[in-house]
């Protein structure tokens, strides 16, 4: 069982930066793959980034070069550093965990946080 709590969301202007954190509780955090997803109003949840237990990363094309996912297994925390933010990045951001390899498919993830709102003003 893994419990996830996101933090770090907020309001930022276009071109600004934010860092999201996802703190995990439970056993064997070092063996889980973590992902970030987002959902904008009226849209389906979409993949943002994922990181395997060993640190291999994968990004959606829409955020590649602007967002960086990382993890600190000693702190049971995964991060999403977001740079050059755009209004279209506005969404609720969720972190998720699975006891297997990284995946961009939300259906593959077993555990989810409650989400944190990111709003980018134009």
């Amino acid at each position: 069982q893994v419990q996830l709590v996101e933090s770090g969301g907020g309001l930022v202007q276009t071109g600004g930066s934010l860092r999201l954190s996802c703190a995990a509780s439970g056993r064997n955090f070092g063996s889980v793959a973590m992902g970030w997803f987002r959902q904008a109003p009226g849209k389906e949840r979409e993949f943002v980034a994922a990181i395997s237990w060993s640190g291999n990363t994968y990004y959606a094309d829409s955020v590649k070069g602007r967002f960086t996912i990382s993890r600190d297994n000693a702190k049971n925390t995964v991060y999403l550093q977001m740079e050059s933010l755009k209004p279209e990045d506005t969404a609720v951001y969720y972190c998720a965990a699975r006891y297997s390899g990284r995946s961009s498919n939300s259906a593959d993830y077993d555990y989810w946080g409650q989400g944190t709102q990111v709003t980018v003003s134009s």
Side-chain angles (χ1 to χ4, degrees), residues 7-8 18-23 29 34-36 48-51 57 59 67-82 95:
S7 61
L18 280 175
R19 187 176 82 156
L20 305 183
S21 299
C22 176
F29 175 77
M34 301 294 297
W36 284 98
V48 175
I51 187 166
T57 57
Y59 298 93
F67 290 10
T68 302
I69 188 171
S70 62
R71 64 190 297 160
D72 185 337
N73 289 340
K75 296 182 178 180
N76 282 14
T77 301
V78 65
Y79 304 97
L80 185 68
Q81 178 68 43
M82 305 185 293
C95 70

Side-chain angles (χ1 to χ4, degrees), residues 14-105:
T14 297
S17 302
L18 280 175
R19 187 176 82 156
L20 305 183
S21 299
C22 176
S25 61
R27 298 186 300 175
N28 300 322
F29 175 77
S31 63
V32 301
M34 301 294 297
W36 284 98
F37 294 80
R38 66 188 182 186
Q39 187 166 19
K43 295 187 177 181
E44 293 187 352
R45 189 170 297 186
E46 66 173 1
F47 169 73
V48 175
I51 187 166
S52 70
W53 64 270
S54 61
N56 292 323
T57 57
Y58 178 57
Y59 298 93
D61 288 343
S62 59
V63 306
K64 200 172 294 183
R66 300 189 298 121
F67 290 10
T68 302
I69 188 171
S70 62
R71 64 190 297 160
D72 185 337
N73 289 340
K75 296 182 178 180
N76 282 14
T77 301
V78 65
Y79 304 97
L80 185 68
Q81 178 68 43
M82 305 185 293
E83 307 282 351
S84 302
L85 283 161
K86 306 174 182 180
E88 50 263 44
D89 294 318
T90 295
V92 177
Y93 283 70
Y94 299 90
C95 70
R98 65 190 299 254
Y99 281 103
S100 188
R102 65 183 187 186
S103 172
S104 61
N105 186 347

